[in-house]
Amino acid sequence: MSQPIAFIDLQAQRRRLGAPLETAIRTAVEGGQWILGPQVAQLERDLAAWAGVKHAITCANGTDALLLVLKAWGVGPGDAVFVPAFTFAATAEVVALAGAAPVFVDVLPDSFNMDPASLEAAIALVRKAGKLIPKVVMPVDLFGQPADYRALAPIAAREGLKLFCDTAQGFGGLLDGKRAGAIGDAAATSFFPAKPLGCYGDGGAMFTNDDGLKDLLLSLRMHGQGADRYEHVHVGYNSRLDTIQAAILIEKLKIFEDEIEKRGRVAKRYNDALAGSDRVSVPVVIAGATSTWAQYTLKVENRAKFLADLKQAGVPTAVYYPIPLSRQKAYAHYPSAPIPVSEALSGQVVSLPMHPYLDEASQGRIIAAALASLG
Ligand SMILES: Cc1ncc(COP(=O)(O)O)c(C=O)c1O
């Protein structure tokens, strides 16, 4: 009987990290500063240096990281924030939580990321309707690859909009030598365990080169604190990263670059084996970009059969995302550009097991099962 295949194998990573990880956790526990202990500040320095950005500010999760930046910019009722229709719900959720309107933009069929032409159409639609004021463009680095900021950034600049990168899945990827995290007016990531850089619980971080924004985010994550602990200058949040999680992330960041490379090798093996089949499209990374391969996502013709065949063969799969956000009950009343690509993708995408420690034998079994299903 062959070994079961994991969709993501976090225990393999834990074994690799070994004693230094256990020591880091124990040190954090014994240190007794469980909230905003010294490991949190160290992690923030490490993250900023690693990503090549001036400031990294950690918080409780990726959703808060997105929300805090929008709140810091004063985004609220009457404002429009442009988000892709094909992403995880949190991207649009935070806009609505801030009291603003998410405006849905279609994505590109190959990279799955925000379509610059659709963004322009969505901005024109909002300006013409005259009810909302365009404020922020919020592309997502879906499945690990940076959105096409070469095209998106000039549109945001021309229209006078902030560029805010939801890099919850893409932190650490590269575009023209620049890390996702260091791109845009600000960026936000998630340390949810399944993310390429994840902790052992919830966590998140915000990135910016703007000193004023950094100060405001530090205050907002700590109940709007002023110069003193019990002075409150903003209505804020309780959104801090636990010291234990920071200690874990410090260790994980040391091997992150190597893990991104390993993920790239796994993706290449899939691409080489599957690209020949005309019933499947392998994922495309845009020129000049490196993906962190948060997911390895195919487009298949007959998805129901493919999912059933792989299940039968003992291969776990996942569908990200089965319903575009503008078709979800919670978001259907917000404005949207036409989203034909997001609609098509939601019926075609399938993600295969992806993690840095996927060995060739297991991957061979996954590829064989996929090829057998595709005929
Ligand atoms: C694109 C995207 N944005 C935001 C989030 C929210 O992150 P978190 O789960 O840490 O709140 C996630 C993660 O689930 C995500 O995939």
Side-chain angles (χ1 to χ4, degrees):
M1 185 67 190
S2 43
Q3 288 287 316
I5 294 170
F7 192 72
I8 297 175
D9 190 351
L10 291 169
Q11 293 300 347
Q13 182 198 51
R14 204 176 70 81
R15 285 193 292 277
R16 172 181 175 184
L17 288 164
L21 178 72
E22 312 292 328
T23 305
I25 294 171
R26 205 180 52 243
T27 305
V29 173
E30 288 173 357
Q33 281 181 266
W34 301 308
I35 301 285
L36 295 184
Q39 289 87 339
V40 174
Q42 187 193 326
L43 173 68
E44 289 172 340
R45 286 192 298 272
D46 291 357
L47 285 168
W50 190 87
V53 63
K54 203 164 168 195
H55 306 293
I57 306 99
T58 56
C59 63
N61 55 68
T63 307
D64 280 6
L66 294 169
L67 180 60
L68 262 62
V69 172
L70 293 178
K71 294 297 287 187
W73 280 338
V75 172
D79 294 338
V81 177
F82 298 89
V83 300
F86 191 66
T87 175
F88 182 60
T91 313
E93 186 178 46
V94 292
V95 179
L97 285 175
V103 177
F104 294 102
V105 175
D106 209 3
V107 297
L108 294 163
D110 293 340
S111 66
F112 311 133
N113 276 332
M114 186 181 270
D115 177 353
S118 177
L119 171 64
E120 290 187 310
I123 296 170
L125 191 128
V126 168
R127 293 219 193 272
K128 187 153 179 253
K131 290 193 188 128
L132 297 165
I133 301 170
K135 282 285 172 68
V136 180
V137 180
M138 212 167 115
V140 173
D141 299 336
L142 202 75
F143 304 148
Q145 84 158 302
D148 184 1
Y149 295 109
R150 288 182 207 118
L152 296 170
I155 298 172
R158 189 188 69 213
E159 298 284 342
L161 310 178
K162 298 257 193 225
L163 181 63
F164 182 24
C165 310
D166 177 347
T167 196
Q169 302 183 12
F171 175 67
L174 287 162
L175 183 65
D176 299 332
K178 211 168 180 187
R179 290 261 181 224
I183 301 172
D185 294 297
T189 196
S190 162
F191 300 128
F192 184 78
K195 296 287 188 262
L197 181 65
C199 57
Y200 288 172
D202 276 310
M206 303 160 282
F207 305 94
T208 185
N209 290 315
D210 179 337
D211 299 342
L213 179 61
K214 181 260 301 179
D215 290 341
L216 195 45
L217 293 172
L218 286 172
S219 169
L220 287 181
R221 77 168 179 190
M222 189 73 176
H223 301 289
Q225 183 179 282
D228 292 315
R229 179 91 195 251
Y230 293 107
E231 183 200 0
H232 302 280
V233 292
H234 305 286
V235 176
Y237 298 80
N238 173 3
S239 187
R240 299 164 303 218
L241 183 72
D242 292 344
T243 305
I244 291 180
Q245 302 302 346
I248 292 163
L249 286 164
I250 289 168
E251 294 308 308
K252 286 205 186 189
L253 187 60
K254 293 176 188 167
I255 61 164
F256 190 35
E257 179 99 54
D258 177 64
E259 288 193 330
I260 294 172
E261 262 176 58
K262 286 188 162 57
R263 286 172 174 275
R265 261 177 262 147
V266 170
K268 184 173 184 315
R269 285 203 297 263
Y270 276 138
N271 280 351
D272 290 348
L274 299 174
S277 166
D278 54 9
R279 294 219 171 87
V280 70
S281 304
V282 298
V284 176
V285 176
I286 60 174
T290 305
S291 178
T292 59
W293 296 103
Q295 301 296 341
Y296 180 86
T297 304
L298 299 169
K299 290 187 282 182
V300 292
E301 265 177 26
N302 186 346
R303 185 170 70 191
K305 176 182 179 299
F306 189 80
L307 292 174
D309 289 346
L310 266 67
K311 188 170 182 197
Q312 182 71 29
V315 175
T317 53
V319 172
Y320 306 113
Y321 295 93
I323 307 173
L325 288 188
S326 48
R327 298 279 175 268
Q328 298 274 5
K329 191 174 166 206
Y331 302 104
H333 59 289
Y334 289 110
S336 178
I339 55 148
V341 176
S342 300
E343 277 172 351
L345 288 176
S346 60
Q348 296 170 330
V349 287
V350 181
S351 300
L352 297 181
M354 165 54 79
H355 60 87
Y357 309 101
L358 186 60
D359 62 83
E360 286 191 40
S362 301
Q363 198 175 2
R365 280 169 55 204
I366 299 165
I367 290 167
L371 289 174
S373 173
L374 294 165

